[in-house]
Amino acid sequence: MGALGLVVALGGCAIGGGSGDVTLKLVAADYGDSAANSSEKYWAEVVEEYEAEHPGVRIDVDVYSWNDVDREVKEMVEAGNAPDMAQIGAYADYAADGLLYPADDLLSISAQADFAAQLADAGRVSGVQYGMPFAASTRLLFYNEELFDEAGISAPSNWEELAADAAALKAIGVKYPYALPLGAEEAQAETMQWLLSGGGGYTDETGAYSVDSPENVETFTWLRDELVGEGLTGPVAPGKLNRADAFAAFAAGDVGMLNGHPSLMTMAAKKGVKFGMVPMPGVNGPTKATMGVADWMMAFKQNGHGREVGEFLDFVYSEKNVLAFSREYDLLPVTNSASQTMGGAEADQDLKPFLEELPLSELYPVGKTSWAAVSADVKKRIGGAVGSGGSPAAVLGEIAGTAVAAEGAAAGS
């Protein structure tokens, strides 16, 4: 999607707080895929209701596409014109620069305590929560049921079965037996899911980077030799295959298996693809920890509107609003109350498998200001680890070197 740069200037007038009219600026990402379900519509409804109940407070919302929203906020901050709130992909750099309110200074105790524990923890820098989770998702292995039936196979639960299933799918002419999107769009996600399935990850138990650990090297060696090297990942080299293209191929019936998040359910269903979902296979059985992803809300201190921002965010994080957003965009609630409601609602049963994975999920190390540099290096290099003649140890070692350098730069700043 291109930059929307659309402004929703919504309602508001008289005062109620004692210090004059207050206008809060929110910059938010667009989760919709068309004008019909743009996030503008979601925020317009939230703001209309809030302003009706809070005379004197006005909320201006700028909605940008994901291609542009992080850059737009960065440029606003650098120009000395930070918004009061930003709902974007990362918060740690702003927190490290001392630009954000701690969540403790904004939210009511009940609202802050309602966040899912692992999401709240991922929002902390040096033990203080600055990032407030806004949207979450987990990953499951999607498989095309009709192709599996044709090949006479069942959903895999470990790597050996996954490779055997992929070989069977290749034998019946499936274009992408297992789609492995390690292209620049979201290589860091596919990489993390595979690292976790091999018992590793980007960081170790202490939180230190462990990109080139023996477990991680073994995982990518297996991928190179048993999937890519056997021609089981399709006609496009993994390093050139982006997630969006892999999802589109699955919805077109050309993919046997791939890792997917909830939005793939809607895409596939619209195209009439019958699919199943199972936890990501690990070395010897289902992976113990799946990958979780969260997007973040943060509040900048520049304009000094902490009280008004906190009151608005308490409203944003009410169960009703969290559920409405999650249901509109096939995402997982970030609060315990909304998760409990969704888990018991018949209308939300499609999301329940993803919801069940959330407490077991691990997130990117977003609390590290170095993560942006490491993620960018993963996107740049990781496809080379599984290509012909590629060396997983060398590539992961190069990324590990980037992690060490980025950590050093963060510590010295």
Side-chain angles (χ1 to χ4, degrees), residues 198-339:
Y202 286 122
T203 57
D204 61 22
E205 293 180 354
T206 70
Y209 283 113
S210 57
V211 180
D212 59 347
S213 69
E215 294 86 357
N216 292 346
V217 172
E218 288 177 11
T219 294
F220 269 79
T221 300
W222 186 88
L223 280 173
R224 181 196 64 187
D225 296 344
E226 303 300 328
L227 285 188
V228 182
E230 294 294 327
L232 302 178
T233 54
V236 180
K240 301 292 185 182
L241 182 64
N242 283 325
R243 184 200 67 186
D245 295 329
F247 277 20
F250 185 83
D254 292 332
V255 174
M257 299 174 279
L258 83 171
N259 284 316
H261 53 62
S263 68
L264 183 55
M265 294 190 300
T266 302
M267 287 182 63
K270 284 181 179 178
K271 295 290 188 176
V273 174
K274 296 181 180 179
F275 59 88
M277 302 178 298
V278 294
M280 176 65 182
V283 179
N284 299 310
T287 303
K288 294 180 180 178
T290 189
M291 187 190 74
V293 176
D295 300 323
W296 302 95
M297 178 73 76
M298 63 212 70
F300 288 89
K301 296 190 293 184
Q302 178 179 320
N303 299 323
H305 294 150
R307 178 176 64 83
E308 293 87 355
V309 167
E311 290 174 353
F312 176 63
L313 291 180
D314 269 5
F315 179 74
V316 167
Y317 284 107
S318 66
E319 180 180 333
K320 179 184 72 173
N321 287 328
V322 172
L323 280 171
F325 179 85
S326 302
R327 286 166 170 163
E328 177 65 30
Y329 299 109
D330 287 329
L331 291 165
L332 303 182
V334 296
T335 62
N336 295 317
S337 58
S339 293

Side-chain angles (χ1 to χ4, degrees), residues 121-268:
D121 288 345
R124 299 180 187 276
V125 173
S126 300
V128 178
Q129 184 181 0
Y130 296 96
M132 292 163 278
F134 185 75
S137 69
T138 55
R139 300 291 195 268
L140 291 171
L141 183 75
F142 282 68
Y143 63 96
N144 184 309
E145 292 183 337
E146 292 183 352
L147 295 178
F148 267 57
D149 289 344
E150 184 180 347
I153 54 178
S154 57
S157 63
N158 58 47
W159 286 1
E160 182 180 359
E161 293 175 359
L162 187 149
D165 284 352
L169 291 164
K170 181 183 179 182
I172 64 169
V174 175
K175 189 174 182 180
Y176 294 91
Y178 178 87
L180 184 66
L182 295 177
E185 180 190 5
E186 205 189 34
Q188 82 284 2
E190 185 74 11
T191 296
M192 183 171 175
Q193 185 62 72
W194 277 100
L195 297 183
L196 291 172
S197 74
Y202 286 122
T203 57
D204 61 22
E205 293 180 354
T206 70
Y209 283 113
S210 57
V211 180
D212 59 347
S213 69
E215 294 86 357
N216 292 346
V217 172
E218 288 177 11
T219 294
F220 269 79
T221 300
W222 186 88
L223 280 173
R224 181 196 64 187
D225 296 344
E226 303 300 328
L227 285 188
V228 182
E230 294 294 327
L232 302 178
T233 54
V236 180
K240 301 292 185 182
L241 182 64
N242 283 325
R243 184 200 67 186
D245 295 329
F247 277 20
F250 185 83
D254 292 332
V255 174
M257 299 174 279
L258 83 171
N259 284 316
H261 53 62
S263 68
L264 183 55
M265 294 190 300
T266 302
M267 287 182 63

